[in-house]
Amino acid sequence: MKNFEKSKRLFVEAQRYLPGGVDSPVRAYKSVGGTPLFIVRGKGARIFDADGNEFIDCVGSWGPLVLGHAHLQVVSALKKVAENGTSFGAPTELETTLAKMVTQAMPFIEMVRFVSSGTEATMSALRLARAFTRRDKIVKFDGGYHGHSDGLLARGGSGMATLGIPDSPGVPAGYAQNTLIAPYNNVGAVEQLFQHYPGQIAAVIIEPVAANMGVVLPQPGFLESLRKLTSKAGALLIFDEVITGFRLAYGGAQSVFGIKPDLTCLGKIIGGGLPVGAYGGRRDIMSLIAPLGPVYQAGTLSGNPLAMTAGIETLKVLSQPGVYEQLETKCAALEKGIAVAAREAGVPVQVHRIGSLLTAFFTRGKVVDYETAKKSDTTLFARFFWQMLENGVYWPPSQFEAAFVSLAHTEEDIKTIIDAVSRALLSLTATR
Ligand SMILES: *Cc1c(COP(=O)(O)O)cnc(C)c1O
């Protein structure tokens, strides 16, 4: 058994000063139980905890670290930039450089505004969509996560298409009422909402591949139908590509599926491990943003040189040929390895993967939306998670999150992960 004593002590201390001992809830391991590991160092595909344990990391800071931890090119560029000052509250050329890279990677983004988190990006994109359409309501999907701004913390009831109810105390019911909820992959439910609220819906916001209820792929035709429905109704289609942007392909999910969203939200990878978000899209819409137009949105540290540099260097590496093929090959091997291991262990698991995003749902049934994802056996998953740690792999501490493969993972690492999965699954059946 691995020793986690120092992490346990650090967690006790942290809880005296930080609510729940953390700055973001999933880090507290609530859904797998036990004490979170305190990390002291990361290098490439590996992280090291306070007790000196070493793990192959399959979280990658929840998405940003597609190059792995402490990538040499990113770190050395950051050091150089930091020595010349970290923020000026005035323009620097780095912002234009990254903006150019983003617009070249995603041609439907004609102009882009940088912010400091994915939450800010989606929140601001919705404000913009409402201003542009002069409508108040938005549609989101049950189990879709777009950051924690008030209007987006709404969940559907059990019906086909529902009025949002606040998902958190502190969210005014009035806000949530402007958020309409449909099940993922359910075109009929979205149609119903457009019929029910004619001329009132400003935008449909969606993760083109859902990755915050576990990885759930859009069924063929789903995204196309949303494009048609929104265009017909004069509403905007907003792709939240905070996870998928520069992850599924250099051009994001929109290039993979060939869909043109009106606005796109980015984050995670474009910050290369530093706090960055962005929203962008059609020039006529983006022109409404202050100071060009009347829609206010600002940020003291937005586009600061450190954040821009981490993004620029990360994108430089990702724009090299063969990079996404490498990610595909590695994660496909992982997908196959998990499926085989599950079959051999007799544990019902649905492995969902696209590019370097993967979730193994512990369920027998097909997963197409949040309702079906929730049928997973989270107790079994929790035991799997702790077994993975014992076997030297840091798997996401929640059934409903994606595992991330990076360029730093070697073929050997993938084999080690599969081996760990196999042993973890066998130990579950042995003691059942
Ligand atoms: C992580 C995430 C966000 C929120 O980004 P933060 O930087 O954590 O605020 C928004 N949308 C999606 C799809 C995400 O995965």
Side-chain angles (χ1 to χ4, degrees):
M1 289 284 278
K2 284 197 159 62
N3 185 351
F4 300 128
E5 287 314 310
K6 182 126 191 245
S7 279
K8 284 181 188 160
R9 284 204 304 278
L10 289 171
F11 191 49
V12 170
E13 183 75 355
Q15 289 174 93
R16 294 177 59 190
Y17 306 101
L18 303 164
V22 294
D23 283 312
S24 200
V26 73
R27 298 179 195 169
Y29 284 19
K30 284 279 185 218
S31 60
V32 289
T35 299
L37 302 191
F38 277 61
I39 307 302
V40 291
R41 189 164 74 84
K43 183 70 198 159
R46 284 178 167 65
I47 52 171
F48 303 82
D49 74 4
D51 289 280
N53 299 302
E54 175 182 336
F55 302 94
I56 297 181
D57 181 23
C58 293
V59 174
S61 188
W62 301 103
L65 299 180
V66 69
L67 308 185
H69 294 273
H71 189 272
L72 222 62
Q73 186 177 328
V74 177
V75 172
S76 63
L78 283 177
K79 282 182 184 162
K80 241 165 81 190
V81 168
E83 281 175 358
N84 288 321
T86 55
S87 182
F88 309 111
T92 68
E93 194 181 351
L94 294 167
E95 296 161 82
T96 313
T97 305
L98 187 57
K100 258 195 214 167
M101 292 173 92
V102 168
T103 54
Q104 277 160 12
M106 299 181 184
F108 304 137
I109 300 184
E110 293 171 341
M111 290 180 117
V112 62
R113 165 64 61 88
F114 291 112
V115 290
S116 295
S117 69
T119 295
E120 264 186 279
T122 54
M123 178 184 88
S124 310
L126 287 175
R127 180 182 304 144
L128 180 58
R130 285 173 163 139
F132 183 80
T133 58
R134 296 164 198 256
R135 300 173 178 180
D136 283 343
K137 295 197 187 305
I138 58 141
V139 175
K140 80 175 275 289
F141 294 89
D142 194 17
Y145 180 67
H146 307 287
H148 63 86
S149 70
D150 279 346
L152 287 166
L153 282 185
R155 176 141 308 162
S158 53
M160 264 266 285
T162 51
L163 220 57
I165 42 173
D167 214 15
S168 163
V171 174
Y175 275 44
Q177 273 170 18
N178 278 322
T179 307
L180 310 170
I181 315 280
Y184 199 79
N185 272 324
N186 192 329
V187 178
V190 181
E191 267 174 335
Q192 208 178 303
L193 287 171
F194 274 112
Q195 277 163 17
H196 208 87
Y197 300 97
Q200 295 175 61
I201 296 172
V204 172
I205 185 166
I206 184 169
E207 295 176 72
V209 169
N212 285 289
M213 54 176 113
V215 174
V216 178
L217 271 67
Q219 287 172 348
F222 178 55
L223 298 174
E224 286 82 352
S225 300
L226 293 183
R227 178 65 282 183
K228 279 191 201 127
L229 282 172
T230 45
S231 295
K232 203 174 110 198
L236 302 185
L237 180 62
I238 304 176
F239 269 14
D240 180 352
E241 295 226 40
V242 171
I243 281 190
T244 53
F246 298 99
R247 165 71 59 182
L248 300 191
Y250 197 66
Q254 50 200 269
S255 76
V256 172
F257 295 102
I259 306 283
K260 179 183 177 180
D262 301 297
L263 293 173
T264 299
C265 301
L266 295 167
K268 299 195 167 120
I269 286 178
I270 56 154
L274 266 72
V276 183
Y279 60 105
R282 279 165 47 187
R283 188 176 297 273
D284 59 331
I285 304 173
M286 292 302 287
S287 299
L288 285 188
I289 299 170
L292 201 51
V295 178
Y296 194 72
Q297 187 272 305
T300 301
L301 293 174
S302 294
N304 73 75
L306 274 188
M308 295 296 99
T309 297
I312 290 166
E313 296 305 320
T314 300
L315 295 205
K316 273 191 203 162
V317 176
L318 292 176
S319 64
Q320 289 161 10
V323 160
Y324 288 92
E325 287 80 356
Q326 267 186 56
L327 288 172
E328 172 71 23
T329 307
K330 287 176 196 170
C331 206
L334 180 57
E335 174 189 14
K336 191 167 162 228
I338 296 174
V340 170
R343 211 174 312 130
E344 281 172 355
V347 179
V349 168
Q350 309 289 326
V351 191
H352 284 201
R353 179 193 71 88
I354 180 165
S356 51
L357 282 175
L358 180 147
T359 297
F361 290 101
F362 282 71
T363 177
R364 216 172 275 283
K366 218 172 148 190
V367 176
V368 295
D369 57 15
Y370 194 43
E371 279 306 304
T372 44
K374 277 193 294 193
K375 296 209 164 93
S376 301
D377 185 340
T378 51
T379 310
L380 199 60
F381 173 83
R383 287 170 54 205
F384 168 77
F385 167 80
W386 284 103
Q387 283 301 318
M388 289 295 279
L389 278 187
E390 278 303 319
N391 288 302
V393 176
Y394 193 81
W395 199 255
S398 162
Q399 169 71 94
F400 306 110
E401 302 282 358
F404 296 89
V405 170
S406 78
L407 286 169
H409 288 88
T410 62
E411 266 175 52
E412 206 48 46
D413 291 335
I414 299 292
K415 279 192 198 131
T416 309
I417 300 170
I418 294 170
D419 200 47
V421 169
S422 181
R423 274 184 286 166
L425 291 175
L426 284 170
S427 80
L428 298 184
T429 43
T431 53
R432 200 154 49 178

